[in-house]
Amino acid sequence: MVHTPSQDDCGGDCGPISIAAYMRQCLTSPNGGYYTTNRPGQDQFGQKGDFVTSPEISQIFGELFGLWLVAEWMQQGRKKHGVEIIEVGPGRGTLMDDILRTISTFKSLASSIENVYLVEASPSLREAQKALLCGESAMEEVSIGYRSVSKYAGLSITWCEDVRFVPNEPDKSPFIFAHEFLDALPIHAFQSVPPSLKSPQTLSTPTGPISLNCQNSEAQKPQWRELLVTPTAPSSNITTSTSPVASAASKKAPADFQLTLAKASNPSSLLLPTQSQRYKDLLSTAGSVIEISPESHSYVADFARRIGGSTEPKSRTSSALPPAPRKSEPSGAALILDYGSASTIPTSTLRGIRSHQLVSPFASPGEVDLSADVDFMALVEAALGASERIEVHGPVEQGVFLEQMGIKERAEMLIRALEKQNETGRKVTAGHEDKVLLGTKAETDERKKAIHEAVERLVSRLPGRGMGTLYKALAIVPERGGKRPVGFGGGLGT
């Protein structure tokens, strides 16, 4: 039987833990973690799983990521060697499969790629990615992870458990993709509490009471207190989340855990909310709730350093990470696509998803996907603070990004290829497309309809649920005078 985090872990009486620790245990624990446990007959992805991601909705999505890489490579002078592709959180490998299939038709680019790195902590997902991307090619263990050979252009693919294991060499040009990855990284949540109004305390002694008139000056100011996860009492009906959506979902089934407010400040609440003026501005508003994901900031800072090199720390103690190798010139790019607000700080967004339905994030731990909105402005700050020689563009809505990349034009190409092959009875490719299959007229019509529906789903701007607005795209590129990348208002050579 799979062991998952539960009250049994604590004997029903464990102390509170941070949301970050809870998420980490639920999602990536080797003993029952959602992503790290192979459950026969179950899959996290797809219609039969818990959720569907954009690459599984339409192959065009991944193809446009590939074309974005091509455009950036051309913008940066068509480097003939030293190009690397890195994807964090590759899922089943669908996105990377479409990216590699697309760029394999650009022979000069394909020949410049020296390595493909996939950052994946799950052994079962790594096996699925290998099967899709490499077929029957053998997988060997290497010093930083595992390696095999792609079915596309014979490219070497290396799997690493953490981005820190991916080599960072100053003469390389890394093109980095993070799609629906940052939303699953652990978060901390904090709530602002008003100043303490307690009267001076007294201490009883053999010689009489002594007044403890030594109130800490900090107690006279608003403070951040961390929201912590604690076991739910057997008869408790306490709401398990401050999120209205998650609170409604929690009523469907009793939860194992609940959120409680820390009784005092802790190291996280004293440090994390001080790292941005955006958080400081909310401290004086009692009851304000903010979510912070230090791991997301760390990943994006790593992307920026790989592209632009490190910003020199102001002192030896100002950076916990070793400086990245100095690059003679910035190169590479990163494309991040996830869901969250373009400008506001996430508040109470932790959610659970199971069988395509919202559920309490504190019920059935280890069997439910957990995620939270991405704070895109915090990512911008992290990137700009990590390297002086990069630019950040966006966030822009997914619908805007995909339309500027030509999603509708690409859909029409596929439809025309389907129509032509239906007329001729022979397979017709559409550019770099090789997935269009022969079929009857009825089957062709169904495929045409599916293409239209998939595109509409990806760019939809329906209030509150359209993927075109809920998801945002962010780009990190070498400094170049503010010249926008494609998909963000720019074009080749503009």
Side-chain angles (χ1 to χ4, degrees):
M1 183 175 180
V2 175
H3 175 80
T4 55
S6 69
Q7 293 192 36
D8 294 338
D9 298 337
C10 317
D13 188 31
C14 65
I17 61 174
S18 67
I19 296 175
Y22 174 80
M23 291 181 69
R24 196 174 292 111
Q25 176 76 358
C26 290
L27 295 178
T28 58
S29 167
N31 298 316
Y34 180 78
Y35 286 108
T36 50
T37 300
N38 185 13
R39 298 179 174 88
Q42 296 184 21
D43 191 354
Q44 299 99 334
F45 304 90
Q47 293 295 340
K48 296 181 180 180
D50 292 324
F51 53 87
V52 177
T53 60
S54 296
E56 275 126 11
I57 293 174
S58 173
Q59 66 184 68
I60 303 176
F61 185 86
E63 292 172 354
L64 296 182
F65 271 53
L67 291 176
W68 191 85
L69 190 161
V70 172
E72 271 302 308
W73 171 75
M74 294 173 66
Q75 183 73 52
Q76 297 178 34
R78 303 172 185 255
K79 294 182 181 297
K80 298 185 182 302
H81 54 79
V83 173
E84 298 177 335
I85 301 177
I86 303 171
E87 185 183 2
V88 292
R92 289 193 299 199
T94 307
L95 177 63
M96 183 55 67
D97 185 65
D98 288 330
I99 290 174
L100 294 182
R101 176 172 51 81
T102 300
I103 64 177
S104 65
T105 63
F106 295 85
K107 303 302 182 184
S108 55
L109 168 57
S111 65
S112 73
I113 299 172
E114 295 185 359
N115 287 289
V116 177
Y117 294 99
L118 300 181
V119 179
E120 180 57 70
S122 167
S124 59
L125 287 177
R126 183 175 64 232
E127 288 297 327
Q129 294 154 15
K130 184 267 175 189
L132 178 64
L133 298 171
C134 305
E136 298 299 321
S137 296
M139 177 182 280
E140 62 175 336
E141 189 168 0
V142 295
S143 60
I144 59 175
Y146 298 86
R147 181 170 296 156
S148 188
V149 178
S150 168
K151 61 188 180 184
Y152 299 110
L155 296 173
S156 171
I157 299 183
T158 303
W159 283 263
C160 302
E161 288 192 2
D162 192 285
V163 73
R164 292 173 295 181
F165 299 149
V166 177
N168 186 0
E169 301 175 65
D171 60 338
K172 306 300 183 186
S173 298
F175 291 87
I176 307 167
F177 297 100
H179 175 253
E180 288 199 56
F181 170 73
L182 300 179
D183 64 280
L185 294 183
I187 64 167
H188 292 263
F190 305 96
Q191 182 173 319
S192 174
V193 298
S196 173
L197 299 178
K198 292 182 179 180
S199 57
Q201 297 178 334
T202 60
L203 175 68
S204 296
T205 71
T207 59
I210 297 177
S211 176
L212 298 178
N213 191 18
C214 55
Q215 296 249 1
N216 190 320
S217 61
E218 291 301 313
Q220 307 305 311
K221 302 176 183 178
Q223 295 181 1
W224 290 111
R225 298 281 175 83
E226 187 159 17
L227 287 164
L228 302 171
V229 179
T230 58
T232 304
S235 60
S236 173
N237 290 319
I238 296 176
T239 297
T240 58
S241 174
T242 55
S243 166
V245 174
S247 296
S250 71
K251 296 177 183 178
K252 297 179 182 179
D256 298 304
F257 298 93
Q258 65 189 24
L259 284 181
T260 58
L261 188 65
K263 296 179 180 179
S265 300
N266 61 16
S268 294
S269 67
L270 292 173
L271 174 64
L272 296 179
T274 67
Q275 296 182 333
S276 172
Q277 188 61 45
R278 299 165 67 234
Y279 309 142
K280 296 177 183 178
D281 291 342
L282 290 174
L283 177 59
S284 61
T285 304
S288 295
V289 175
I290 59 174
E291 292 173 352
I292 303 175
S293 176
E295 289 189 34
S296 296
H297 305 171
S298 178
Y299 265 93
V300 171
D302 178 88
F303 299 167
R305 285 190 288 267
R306 289 176 185 273
I307 296 165
S310 287
T311 292
E312 294 296 328
K314 296 179 181 178
S315 68
R316 291 184 180 180
T317 59
S318 65
S319 175
L321 295 173
R326 185 69 178 174
K327 301 185 72 165
S328 59
E329 64 173 351
S331 62
L335 180 60
I336 299 167
L337 208 150
D338 225 310
Y339 57 80
S341 170
S343 58
T344 59
I345 299 171
T347 173
S348 307
T349 67
L350 180 66
R351 60 180 71 80
I353 299 178
R354 191 175 193 180
S355 299
H356 306 277
Q357 299 293 322
L358 285 172
V359 298
S360 168
F362 302 114
S364 303
E367 300 177 10
V368 171
D369 183 41
L370 302 180
S371 63
D373 283 8
V374 170
D375 185 348
F376 281 95
M377 285 298 100
L379 302 186
V380 172
E381 291 179 348
L384 295 176
S387 179
E388 296 174 339
R389 299 195 298 166
I390 56 97
E391 297 176 357
V392 181
H393 295 268
V396 300
E397 294 179 350
Q398 172 175 291
V400 172
F401 171 77
L402 294 178
E403 287 174 351
Q404 290 192 15
M405 289 299 302
I407 188 171
K408 294 183 177 179
E409 291 80 359
R410 177 60 179 154
E412 290 304 317
M413 288 177 64
L414 294 182
I415 289 171
R416 286 196 298 271
L418 282 168
E419 292 172 340
K420 189 170 183 179
Q421 73 179 23
N422 187 62
E423 294 172 0
T424 63
R426 297 193 303 272
K427 180 177 177 179
V428 178
T429 60
H432 44 265
E433 167 56 28
D434 65 1
K435 289 187 177 181
V436 175
L437 304 176
L438 286 170
T440 66
K441 184 178 185 305
E443 290 171 336
T444 298
D445 289 342
E446 280 299 311
R447 292 193 186 108
K448 289 163 58 178
K449 179 182 178 183
I451 291 172
H452 278 303
E453 290 178 346
V455 169
E456 180 56 33
R457 183 176 177 184
L458 291 171
V459 302
S460 171
R461 292 172 172 79
L462 289 176
R465 59 190 182 92
M467 294 183 72
T469 54
L470 289 177
Y471 288 78
K472 310 294 189 302
L474 188 76
I476 304 173
V477 298
E479 60 177 351
R480 55 194 188 200
K483 189 178 297 182
R484 297 179 181 181
V486 293
F488 295 83
L492 289 176
T494 62

